[in-house]
């Protein structure tokens, strides 16, 4: 193998490993992320995880005591939805720079990447090198 080809291969593998490490770091950040929305007048606050699952509901004031049950239910529902929307937006912002050219996280269900499938430990097992060995 020529020195130039060897250098190119080493550079490609270094870039691959860096992208894999960046994705691992992003995955760790995703695991720690949460979003909290608060309703007007601090009636309720809702916290969700990266996937939009409710992780907390709080009533910071006594304002909810003066509300009809249906009105309170609507405020809780709307606040949870707002937190879920915030979580999706934050996740897309985190992931968008990592997407390959021409791909976007917008409009997709974010947060469910299989990094080992995209960037396996052994690069030859991944989609990036399949065509090289088949010709």
């Amino acid at each position: 193998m020529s020195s130039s080809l060897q250098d190119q291969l080493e550079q490609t593998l270094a870039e691959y490993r860096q992208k894999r490490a960046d994705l691992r770091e992003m995955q760790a950040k995703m695991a720690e992320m949460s979003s909290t929305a608060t309703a007007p007048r601090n009636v309720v606050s809702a916290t969700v995880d990266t996937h939009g699952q409710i992780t907390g509901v709080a009533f910071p004031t006594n304002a909810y005591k003066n509300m009809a049950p249906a009105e309170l239910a609507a405020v809780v529902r709307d606040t949870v939805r707002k937190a879920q929307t915030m979580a999706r937006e934050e996740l897309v912002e985190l992931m968008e720079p990592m997407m390959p050219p021409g791909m976007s996280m917008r409009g997709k269900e974010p947060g469910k990447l299989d990094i080992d499938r995209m960037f396996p430990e052994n690069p030859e097992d991944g989609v990036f090198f399949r065509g090289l060995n088949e010709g």
Side-chain angles (χ1 to χ4, degrees), residues 93-119:
E93 290 300 316
L94 177 68
M95 294 181 71
E96 193 72 23
M98 302 296 290
M99 299 309 296
M103 287 186 72
S104 176
M105 284 301 298
R106 307 223 180 261
K108 304 279 185 199
E109 183 179 340
K112 294 189 178 182
L113 291 178
D114 183 356
I115 292 171
D116 288 324
R117 183 169 171 228
M118 289 176 65
F119 290 91

PDB file of all heavy atoms in Angstrom, residues 93-119:
ATOM      1  N   GLU A  93     -32.090  20.201  17.782  1.00  0.00           N
ATOM      2  CA  GLU A  93     -30.969  21.141  17.776  1.00  0.00           C
ATOM      3  C   GLU A  93     -29.659  20.440  18.140  1.00  0.00           C
ATOM      4  O   GLU A  93     -28.616  20.745  17.576  1.00  0.00           O
ATOM      5  CB  GLU A  93     -31.228  22.303  18.738  1.00  0.00           C
ATOM      6  CG  GLU A  93     -32.302  23.252  18.284  1.00  0.00           C
ATOM      7  CD  GLU A  93     -32.012  23.918  16.949  1.00  0.00           C
ATOM      8  OE1 GLU A  93     -30.865  24.364  16.735  1.00  0.00           O
ATOM      9  OE2 GLU A  93     -32.933  23.977  16.115  1.00  0.00           O
ATOM     10  N   LEU A  94     -29.717  19.503  19.066  1.00  0.00           N
ATOM     11  CA  LEU A  94     -28.528  18.758  19.464  1.00  0.00           C
ATOM     12  C   LEU A  94     -28.068  17.820  18.352  1.00  0.00           C
ATOM     13  O   LEU A  94     -26.877  17.715  18.067  1.00  0.00           O
ATOM     14  CB  LEU A  94     -28.812  17.947  20.737  1.00  0.00           C
ATOM     15  CG  LEU A  94     -27.678  17.059  21.252  1.00  0.00           C
ATOM     16  CD1 LEU A  94     -26.528  17.902  21.768  1.00  0.00           C
ATOM     17  CD2 LEU A  94     -28.191  16.137  22.347  1.00  0.00           C
ATOM     18  N   MET A  95     -29.009  17.161  17.696  1.00  0.00           N
ATOM     19  CA  MET A  95     -28.669  16.123  16.734  1.00  0.00           C
ATOM     20  C   MET A  95     -28.411  16.641  15.326  1.00  0.00           C
ATOM     21  O   MET A  95     -27.647  16.034  14.574  1.00  0.00           O
ATOM     22  CB  MET A  95     -29.790  15.087  16.691  1.00  0.00           C
ATOM     23  CG  MET A  95     -29.931  14.336  17.983  1.00  0.00           C
ATOM     24  SD  MET A  95     -31.236  13.121  17.897  1.00  0.00           S
ATOM     25  CE  MET A  95     -30.478  11.937  16.795  1.00  0.00           C
ATOM     26  N   GLU A  96     -29.035  17.715  14.948  1.00  0.00           N
ATOM     27  CA  GLU A  96     -28.956  18.200  13.572  1.00  0.00           C
ATOM     28  C   GLU A  96     -27.520  18.350  13.067  1.00  0.00           C
ATOM     29  O   GLU A  96     -27.221  17.901  11.956  1.00  0.00           O
ATOM     30  CB  GLU A  96     -29.716  19.524  13.436  1.00  0.00           C
ATOM     31  CG  GLU A  96     -29.954  19.948  12.014  1.00  0.00           C
ATOM     32  CD  GLU A  96     -30.994  19.111  11.289  1.00  0.00           C
ATOM     33  OE1 GLU A  96     -31.844  18.478  11.927  1.00  0.00           O
ATOM     34  OE2 GLU A  96     -30.924  19.082  10.053  1.00  0.00           O
ATOM     35  N   PRO A  97     -26.597  18.928  13.836  1.00  0.00           N
ATOM     36  CA  PRO A  97     -25.226  19.063  13.322  1.00  0.00           C
ATOM     37  C   PRO A  97     -24.514  17.727  13.090  1.00  0.00           C
ATOM     38  O   PRO A  97     -23.538  17.671  12.350  1.00  0.00           O
ATOM     39  CB  PRO A  97     -24.503  19.861  14.414  1.00  0.00           C
ATOM     40  CG  PRO A  97     -25.563  20.489  15.225  1.00  0.00           C
ATOM     41  CD  PRO A  97     -26.757  19.600  15.116  1.00  0.00           C
ATOM     42  N   MET A  98     -24.982  16.664  13.707  1.00  0.00           N
ATOM     43  CA  MET A  98     -24.342  15.359  13.581  1.00  0.00           C
ATOM     44  C   MET A  98     -24.876  14.540  12.406  1.00  0.00           C
ATOM     45  O   MET A  98     -24.307  13.512  12.060  1.00  0.00           O
ATOM     46  CB  MET A  98     -24.533  14.550  14.871  1.00  0.00           C
ATOM     47  CG  MET A  98     -24.000  15.218  16.109  1.00  0.00           C
ATOM     48  SD  MET A  98     -22.221  15.427  16.058  1.00  0.00           S
ATOM     49  CE  MET A  98     -21.712  13.735  16.231  1.00  0.00           C
ATOM     50  N   MET A  99     -25.940  14.995  11.794  1.00  0.00           N
ATOM     51  CA  MET A  99     -26.552  14.224  10.714  1.00  0.00           C
ATOM     52  C   MET A  99     -25.695  14.319   9.456  1.00  0.00           C
ATOM     53  O   MET A  99     -25.105  15.351   9.173  1.00  0.00           O
ATOM     54  CB  MET A  99     -27.962  14.744  10.427  1.00  0.00           C
ATOM     55  CG  MET A  99     -28.915  14.627  11.611  1.00  0.00           C
ATOM     56  SD  MET A  99     -28.989  12.994  12.370  1.00  0.00           S
ATOM     57  CE  MET A  99     -29.633  12.016  11.064  1.00  0.00           C
ATOM     58  N   PRO A 100     -25.638  13.233   8.694  1.00  0.00           N
ATOM     59  CA  PRO A 100     -24.897  13.262   7.426  1.00  0.00           C
ATOM     60  C   PRO A 100     -25.506  14.292   6.480  1.00  0.00           C
ATOM     61  O   PRO A 100     -26.691  14.610   6.585  1.00  0.00           O
ATOM     62  CB  PRO A 100     -25.078  11.848   6.870  1.00  0.00           C
ATOM     63  CG  PRO A 100     -25.503  11.017   8.026  1.00  0.00           C
ATOM     64  CD  PRO A 100     -26.213  11.926   8.973  1.00  0.00           C
ATOM     65  N   PRO A 101     -24.727  14.807   5.552  1.00  0.00           N
ATOM     66  CA  PRO A 101     -25.264  15.775   4.586  1.00  0.00           C
ATOM     67  C   PRO A 101     -26.509  15.223   3.895  1.00  0.00           C
ATOM     68  O   PRO A 101     -26.562  14.065   3.507  1.00  0.00           O
ATOM     69  CB  PRO A 101     -24.117  15.944   3.584  1.00  0.00           C
ATOM     70  CG  PRO A 101     -22.888  15.568   4.352  1.00  0.00           C
ATOM     71  CD  PRO A 101     -23.323  14.506   5.320  1.00  0.00           C
ATOM     72  N   GLY A 102     -27.518  16.079   3.785  1.00  0.00           N
ATOM     73  CA  GLY A 102     -28.750  15.666   3.116  1.00  0.00           C
ATOM     74  C   GLY A 102     -29.758  15.007   4.036  1.00  0.00           C
ATOM     75  O   GLY A 102     -30.862  14.714   3.617  1.00  0.00           O
ATOM     76  N   MET A 103     -29.402  14.762   5.284  1.00  0.00           N
ATOM     77  CA  MET A 103     -30.345  14.155   6.236  1.00  0.00           C
ATOM     78  C   MET A 103     -30.693  15.185   7.304  1.00  0.00           C
ATOM     79  O   MET A 103     -29.878  16.025   7.649  1.00  0.00           O
ATOM     80  CB  MET A 103     -29.741  12.927   6.898  1.00  0.00           C
ATOM     81  CG  MET A 103     -29.652  11.725   5.996  1.00  0.00           C
ATOM     82  SD  MET A 103     -29.078  10.260   6.887  1.00  0.00           S
ATOM     83  CE  MET A 103     -30.502   9.876   7.892  1.00  0.00           C
ATOM     84  N   SER A 104     -31.891  15.076   7.818  1.00  0.00           N
ATOM     85  CA  SER A 104     -32.340  16.012   8.839  1.00  0.00           C
ATOM     86  C   SER A 104     -33.158  15.278   9.891  1.00  0.00           C
ATOM     87  O   SER A 104     -33.834  14.304   9.592  1.00  0.00           O
ATOM     88  CB  SER A 104     -33.195  17.104   8.204  1.00  0.00           C
ATOM     89  OG  SER A 104     -33.718  17.961   9.181  1.00  0.00           O
ATOM     90  N   MET A 105     -33.090  15.766  11.095  1.00  0.00           N
ATOM     91  CA  MET A 105     -33.915  15.219  12.176  1.00  0.00           C
ATOM     92  C   MET A 105     -35.270  15.905  12.228  1.00  0.00           C
ATOM     93  O   MET A 105     -36.145  15.503  12.954  1.00  0.00           O
ATOM     94  CB  MET A 105     -33.213  15.398  13.518  1.00  0.00           C
ATOM     95  CG  MET A 105     -32.085  14.440  13.748  1.00  0.00           C
ATOM     96  SD  MET A 105     -32.609  12.716  13.689  1.00  0.00           S
ATOM     97  CE  MET A 105     -33.774  12.645  15.042  1.00  0.00           C
ATOM     98  N   ARG A 106     -35.447  16.948  11.489  1.00  0.00           N
ATOM     99  CA  ARG A 106     -36.708  17.675  11.512  1.00  0.00           C
ATOM    100  C   ARG A 106     -37.798  16.795  10.918  1.00  0.00           C
ATOM    101  O   ARG A 106     -37.615  16.149   9.907  1.00  0.00           O
ATOM    102  CB  ARG A 106     -36.578  18.966  10.743  1.00  0.00           C
ATOM    103  CG  ARG A 106     -35.389  19.770  11.242  1.00  0.00           C
ATOM    104  CD  ARG A 106     -35.686  21.218  11.379  1.00  0.00           C
ATOM    105  NE  ARG A 106     -34.507  21.924  11.848  1.00  0.00           N
ATOM    106  CZ  ARG A 106     -34.302  22.265  13.121  1.00  0.00           C
ATOM    107  NH1 ARG A 106     -35.204  21.982  14.030  1.00  0.00           N
ATOM    108  NH2 ARG A 106     -33.222  22.909  13.490  1.00  0.00           N
ATOM    109  N   GLY A 107     -38.929  16.727  11.612  1.00  0.00           N
ATOM    110  CA  GLY A 107     -40.043  15.937  11.135  1.00  0.00           C
ATOM    111  C   GLY A 107     -39.934  14.454  11.447  1.00  0.00           C
ATOM    112  O   GLY A 107     -40.818  13.696  11.123  1.00  0.00           O
ATOM    113  N   LYS A 108     -38.868  14.023  12.075  1.00  0.00           N
ATOM    114  CA  LYS A 108     -38.686  12.611  12.427  1.00  0.00           C
ATOM    115  C   LYS A 108     -38.895  12.434  13.930  1.00  0.00           C
ATOM    116  O   LYS A 108     -38.896  13.377  14.689  1.00  0.00           O
ATOM    117  CB  LYS A 108     -37.271  12.148  12.081  1.00  0.00           C
ATOM    118  CG  LYS A 108     -36.887  12.355  10.647  1.00  0.00           C
ATOM    119  CD  LYS A 108     -37.447  11.261   9.791  1.00  0.00           C
ATOM    120  CE  LYS A 108     -36.945  11.436   8.373  1.00  0.00           C
ATOM    121  NZ  LYS A 108     -37.721  10.756   7.416  1.00  0.00           N
ATOM    122  N   GLU A 109     -39.035  11.196  14.355  1.00  0.00           N
ATOM    123  CA  GLU A 109     -39.103  10.903  15.783  1.00  0.00           C
ATOM    124  C   GLU A 109     -37.665  10.862  16.299  1.00  0.00           C
ATOM    125  O   GLU A 109     -36.923   9.928  16.039  1.00  0.00           O
ATOM    126  CB  GLU A 109     -39.781   9.565  16.030  1.00  0.00           C
ATOM    127  CG  GLU A 109     -39.939   9.260  17.510  1.00  0.00           C
ATOM    128  CD  GLU A 109     -40.628   7.939  17.739  1.00  0.00           C
ATOM    129  OE1 GLU A 109     -41.299   7.428  16.839  1.00  0.00           O
ATOM    130  OE2 GLU A 109     -40.496   7.420  18.852  1.00  0.00           O
ATOM    131  N   PRO A 110     -37.251  11.896  17.026  1.00  0.00           N
ATOM    132  CA  PRO A 110     -35.855  11.974  17.448  1.00  0.00           C
ATOM    133  C   PRO A 110     -35.547  11.111  18.668  1.00  0.00           C
ATOM    134  O   PRO A 110     -36.438  10.689  19.394  1.00  0.00           O
ATOM    135  CB  PRO A 110     -35.682  13.454  17.789  1.00  0.00           C
ATOM    136  CG  PRO A 110     -37.036  13.889  18.222  1.00  0.00           C
ATOM    137  CD  PRO A 110     -38.016  13.070  17.399  1.00  0.00           C
ATOM    138  N   GLY A 111     -34.270  10.872  18.859  1.00  0.00           N
ATOM    139  CA  GLY A 111     -33.812  10.232  20.087  1.00  0.00           C
ATOM    140  C   GLY A 111     -33.696   8.734  20.063  1.00  0.00           C
ATOM    141  O   GLY A 111     -33.395   8.133  21.090  1.00  0.00           O
ATOM    142  N   LYS A 112     -33.921   8.101  18.943  1.00  0.00           N
ATOM    143  CA  LYS A 112     -33.881   6.642  18.902  1.00  0.00           C
ATOM    144  C   LYS A 112     -32.845   6.153  17.894  1.00  0.00           C
ATOM    145  O   LYS A 112     -33.126   5.337  17.048  1.00  0.00           O
ATOM    146  CB  LYS A 112     -35.264   6.088  18.575  1.00  0.00           C
ATOM    147  CG  LYS A 112     -36.260   6.357  19.666  1.00  0.00           C
ATOM    148  CD  LYS A 112     -37.543   5.649  19.444  1.00  0.00           C
ATOM    149  CE  LYS A 112     -38.467   5.925  20.615  1.00  0.00           C
ATOM    150  NZ  LYS A 112     -39.722   5.237  20.496  1.00  0.00           N
ATOM    151  N   LEU A 113     -31.637   6.676  18.008  1.00  0.00           N
ATOM    152  CA  LEU A 113     -30.551   6.265  17.120  1.00  0.00           C
ATOM    153  C   LEU A 113     -29.845   5.031  17.655  1.00  0.00           C
ATOM    154  O   LEU A 113     -29.636   4.911  18.853  1.00  0.00           O
ATOM    155  CB  LEU A 113     -29.511   7.383  16.994  1.00  0.00           C
ATOM    156  CG  LEU A 113     -29.933   8.630  16.256  1.00  0.00           C
ATOM    157  CD1 LEU A 113     -28.802   9.645  16.269  1.00  0.00           C
ATOM    158  CD2 LEU A 113     -30.313   8.302  14.829  1.00  0.00           C
ATOM    159  N   ASP A 114     -29.460   4.160  16.748  1.00  0.00           N
ATOM    160  CA  ASP A 114     -28.633   3.018  17.093  1.00  0.00           C
ATOM    161  C   ASP A 114     -27.222   3.346  16.620  1.00  0.00           C
ATOM    162  O   ASP A 114     -26.860   3.072  15.477  1.00  0.00           O
ATOM    163  CB  ASP A 114     -29.161   1.748  16.442  1.00  0.00           C
ATOM    164  CG  ASP A 114     -28.360   0.525  16.834  1.00  0.00           C
ATOM    165  OD1 ASP A 114     -27.347   0.647  17.538  1.00  0.00           O
ATOM    166  OD2 ASP A 114     -28.746  -0.579  16.418  1.00  0.00           O
ATOM    167  N   ILE A 115     -26.442   3.973  17.493  1.00  0.00           N
ATOM    168  CA  ILE A 115     -25.111   4.436  17.121  1.00  0.00           C
ATOM    169  C   ILE A 115     -24.210   3.277  16.723  1.00  0.00           C
ATOM    170  O   ILE A 115     -23.419   3.391  15.789  1.00  0.00           O
ATOM    171  CB  ILE A 115     -24.497   5.270  18.259  1.00  0.00           C
ATOM    172  CG1 ILE A 115     -25.295   6.563  18.381  1.00  0.00           C
ATOM    173  CG2 ILE A 115     -23.024   5.569  17.996  1.00  0.00           C
ATOM    174  CD1 ILE A 115     -24.965   7.386  19.577  1.00  0.00           C
ATOM    175  N   ASP A 116     -24.325   2.142  17.396  1.00  0.00           N
ATOM    176  CA  ASP A 116     -23.489   0.994  17.034  1.00  0.00           C
ATOM    177  C   ASP A 116     -23.800   0.499  15.628  1.00  0.00           C
ATOM    178  O   ASP A 116     -22.925  -0.012  14.940  1.00  0.00           O
ATOM    179  CB  ASP A 116     -23.656  -0.142  18.046  1.00  0.00           C
ATOM    180  CG  ASP A 116     -23.002   0.192  19.369  1.00  0.00           C
ATOM    181  OD1 ASP A 116     -21.938   0.842  19.348  1.00  0.00           O
ATOM    182  OD2 ASP A 116     -23.547  -0.188  20.413  1.00  0.00           O
ATOM    183  N   ARG A 117     -25.021   0.648  15.179  1.00  0.00           N
ATOM    184  CA  ARG A 117     -25.378   0.245  13.821  1.00  0.00           C
ATOM    185  C   ARG A 117     -24.847   1.250  12.806  1.00  0.00           C
ATOM    186  O   ARG A 117     -24.346   0.882  11.752  1.00  0.00           O
ATOM    187  CB  ARG A 117     -26.887   0.129  13.702  1.00  0.00           C
ATOM    188  CG  ARG A 117     -27.326  -0.364  12.348  1.00  0.00           C
ATOM    189  CD  ARG A 117     -28.802  -0.713  12.354  1.00  0.00           C
ATOM    190  NE  ARG A 117     -29.234  -0.976  11.011  1.00  0.00           N
ATOM    191  CZ  ARG A 117     -30.311  -0.463  10.460  1.00  0.00           C
ATOM    192  NH1 ARG A 117     -31.082   0.327  11.162  1.00  0.00           N
ATOM    193  NH2 ARG A 117     -30.630  -0.749   9.241  1.00  0.00           N
ATOM    194  N   MET A 118     -24.952   2.551  13.160  1.00  0.00           N
ATOM    195  CA  MET A 118     -24.472   3.588  12.254  1.00  0.00           C
ATOM    196  C   MET A 118     -22.945   3.608  12.184  1.00  0.00           C
ATOM    197  O   MET A 118     -22.361   3.788  11.126  1.00  0.00           O
ATOM    198  CB  MET A 118     -24.973   4.955  12.713  1.00  0.00           C
ATOM    199  CG  MET A 118     -26.443   5.170  12.516  1.00  0.00           C
ATOM    200  SD  MET A 118     -26.999   6.755  13.173  1.00  0.00           S
ATOM    201  CE  MET A 118     -26.135   7.887  12.099  1.00  0.00           C
ATOM    202  N   PHE A 119     -22.316   3.467  13.350  1.00  0.00           N
ATOM    203  CA  PHE A 119     -20.862   3.527  13.464  1.00  0.00           C
ATOM    204  C   PHE A 119     -20.377   2.364  14.317  1.00  0.00           C
ATOM    205  O   PHE A 119     -20.073   2.526  15.491  1.00  0.00           O
ATOM    206  CB  PHE A 119     -20.422   4.854  14.112  1.00  0.00           C
ATOM    207  CG  PHE A 119     -20.632   6.045  13.230  1.00  0.00           C
ATOM    208  CD1 PHE A 119     -21.813   6.763  13.289  1.00  0.00           C
ATOM    209  CD2 PHE A 119     -19.667   6.444  12.333  1.00  0.00           C
ATOM    210  CE1 PHE A 119     -22.019   7.865  12.482  1.00  0.00           C
ATOM    211  CE2 PHE A 119     -19.862   7.546  11.514  1.00  0.00           C
ATOM    212  CZ  PHE A 119     -21.043   8.253  11.590  1.00  0.00           C
TER     213      PHE A 119
END
